[in-house]
Amino acid sequence: MVLGVDRRVLALAMARMADALGNSFLIIVLPLYIASGEISIVGIVDGRLLGFRLTEEFLIGVVLSLFGFLNSFGQPFTGRLSDRTNRRKFYILLGLVIFAVASAAYPFVTSYWSVVVVRGLQGLGAAFTVPVTVALVNDYATSNRERGGNFGVFNTFRLIGFGFGPVVAGAVVTGGFGGDRVVDYVLPAWLPGALAGMEISGFDAAFAVAVLGAVVSFVLVFLLVNDPEATEADAGERLSVAVLDRDGDGLDPVFVLGVGTLFMALTIALYATLQETINARLGQGSTLFGLQFSAVVIANVLLQVPVGRWSDEYGRRPFLLAGFVILIPSVFAQGVVTDPLLMLGARFLQGVAVACVFAPSLALAGDLAREGESGTQLSVLTMAFGLGVAFGPLVSGFLVSYGFLVPFAFGAGLAVVALALVFSQVEETIGAADAPPVDPSPQD
């Protein structure tokens, strides 16, 4: 046990951190790469699609969103496939290979449609790794009293990779000086043969880091992770995602948690599209915006582990309800405040809400999953989170035309709906039966 969790969970967490760092690199790099002239968009930009003019920004948005949609919609199928075949580790490794090969292909493509194909392959690779990795974290819990802590550690490392990736990417592409300048790097003399002294661009260096992240993840999973015996022995026969619960008198709690996760993730992503509007409204620069945007991640890094472990001890439901209660005013406030520090506080408070919801939701869904079906059940939540992140910028970009408050009021309204659904449809899974056994011997 390391950090209070199974070493295999820690290995998966570190692998996911490296993978997330590599992927988040590309969120920053790909828009710069397409806009740099390295990729030909002649004949596509300023064209028409169903009467809509294709702008460079729209083409970049398609590339970025494609990953999220293919990743999210593929997860229920790959999660179920891993349940059916009893092979979690194989599919994680397969996904990492696909992601690494696709990342390595970027320097060799020159057309926009080639970039679309490569980004789609990366989404397919992530569709294998994400739900199956989460299923393994769930499988490694020997009791309900460990599951929250496992997911807390796993989410913390993943968020560290995702949060720091864009910062490092900007430094790699621009040499740390800011702006749009792309630097060339001279490889060190100690490298063998023709590699020594060779120059590579900042873009190629960034793509190399994405490949390296996938390779490091592959090595960690290959050496330290195994399929648990319980999964191999007890593969589920009834693998499906239900909307109604098994008694037919309410909604399935995993489905409800998926809806809540979708709404929560959407509120996180509302902020990303509105950078120029927010900076003008608050009279601030991009540095403060970046700090505000990262505040949600920072709060999660600080709180995921303790919240996950507290949910093992005190129950999942209190944290879920508290999270959505906090989410409502923290999202609404972002549409009202006019001071940069107040906005920072609102974003941090939203991060507290997300920390209260995310790990306990995964843990509760894992509690309810029958033997051998955790890949199917937990993919509902991972898919929902991905879809929320993908749809959030589109929703805010559309609703802000009706007023700055509107997208944040809409997000707060979704949080109200999520709170009502969780309160009425989700029951506690941590009870007396999960408590550690009491020593029956008489005490002095």
Side-chain angles (χ1 to χ4, degrees):
M1 300 284 284
V2 184
L3 295 179
V5 298
D6 189 309
R7 66 173 181 82
R8 296 170 298 178
V9 172
L10 187 61
L12 286 170
M14 294 178 67
R16 193 72 185 94
M17 178 179 69
D19 181 39
L21 186 145
N23 181 48
S24 63
F25 248 70
L26 300 177
I27 295 174
I28 300 299
V29 172
L30 285 179
L32 297 175
Y33 192 51
I34 294 172
S36 69
E38 297 272 351
I39 300 299
S40 174
I41 55 176
V42 176
I44 304 174
V45 70
D46 292 329
R48 294 279 174 176
L49 178 65
L50 301 176
F52 176 76
R53 186 172 72 90
L54 299 178
T55 63
E56 183 179 284
E57 291 78 11
F58 176 79
L59 295 176
I60 291 172
V62 168
V63 169
L64 295 180
S65 296
L66 181 64
F67 176 89
F69 286 123
L70 285 178
N71 174 21
S72 298
F73 285 120
Q75 287 183 27
F77 300 100
T78 54
R80 182 170 182 170
L81 182 63
S82 75
D83 288 338
R84 286 287 190 193
T85 59
N86 317 324
R87 301 179 72 186
R88 306 264 196 240
K89 180 177 178 178
F90 171 80
Y91 290 113
I92 295 173
L93 295 176
L94 174 63
L96 290 171
V97 168
I98 294 173
F99 187 89
V101 170
S103 298
Y106 279 115
F108 304 102
V109 299
T110 57
S111 71
Y112 174 76
W113 296 116
S114 298
V115 173
V116 169
V117 171
V118 171
R119 190 60 172 161
L121 285 174
Q122 288 186 311
L124 177 63
F128 278 103
T129 60
V130 174
V132 183
T133 301
V134 170
L136 263 185
V137 173
N138 181 72
D139 293 339
Y140 287 151
T142 57
S143 73
N144 288 359
R145 293 284 183 172
E146 291 182 2
R147 192 165 281 119
N150 282 1
F151 281 119
V153 170
F154 176 78
N155 287 335
T156 296
F157 278 85
R158 179 183 66 84
L159 288 166
I160 290 173
F162 186 81
F164 282 100
V167 177
V168 181
V172 169
V173 172
T174 65
F177 298 105
D180 296 326
R181 186 172 66 84
V182 179
V183 299
D184 289 331
Y185 292 89
V186 179
L187 296 182
W190 50 262
L191 286 173
L195 290 177
M198 188 174 73
E199 290 189 0
I200 62 172
S201 72
F203 287 131
D204 291 346
F207 296 138
V209 171
V211 175
L212 180 62
V215 170
V216 170
S217 297
F218 184 96
V219 172
L220 287 170
V221 173
F222 183 80
L223 295 178
L224 301 176
V225 173
N226 62 280
D227 290 321
E229 293 181 5
T231 300
E232 296 173 358
D234 302 306
E237 295 293 334
R238 299 167 293 174
L239 301 175
S240 61
V241 176
V243 175
L244 299 178
D245 67 12
R246 294 167 188 174
D247 297 327
D249 56 0
L251 295 175
D252 183 80
V254 175
F255 174 77
V256 170
L257 292 173
V259 172
T261 300
L262 171 68
F263 291 169
M264 176 193 71
L266 191 148
T267 65
I268 297 173
L270 289 173
Y271 204 73
T273 309
L274 307 177
Q275 179 171 178
E276 291 186 9
T277 305
I278 290 171
N279 288 346
R281 176 181 171 85
L282 301 183
Q284 64 181 24
S286 59
T287 300
L288 270 175
F289 179 88
L291 184 59
Q292 291 159 356
F293 185 82
S294 300
V296 173
V297 175
I298 294 169
N300 272 269
V301 169
L302 294 175
L303 293 174
Q304 280 283 331
V305 173
V307 166
R309 288 175 175 165
W310 291 336
S311 78
D312 288 338
E313 184 173 356
Y314 303 110
R316 321 291 190 206
R317 198 165 180 267
F319 291 97
L320 292 172
L321 296 176
F324 285 116
V325 167
I326 297 170
L327 189 64
I328 296 167
S330 64
V331 173
F332 187 83
Q334 293 170 44
V336 177
V337 301
T338 56
D339 181 81
L341 292 180
L342 290 178
M343 181 65 83
L344 179 64
R347 290 287 295 176
F348 187 86
L349 192 62
Q350 184 181 9
V352 173
V354 172
C356 288
V357 170
F358 203 24
S361 289
L362 288 167
L364 195 149
D367 295 340
L368 295 173
R370 291 167 291 186
E371 291 290 348
E373 66 173 34
S374 57
T376 303
Q377 295 299 313
L378 290 169
S379 69
V380 174
L381 273 66
T382 57
M383 177 186 71
F385 189 87
L387 287 177
V389 171
F391 277 116
L394 302 177
V395 170
S396 61
F398 172 74
L399 291 180
V400 76
S401 61
Y402 297 98
F404 183 78
L405 175 61
V406 174
F408 297 104
F410 177 76
L414 293 180
V416 172
V417 174
L419 175 63
L421 286 173
V422 171
F423 181 80
S424 62
Q425 303 296 320
V426 177
E427 297 182 356
E428 183 57 70
T429 55
I430 296 295
D434 302 297
V438 178
D439 185 356
S441 59
Q443 302 295 317
D444 293 333

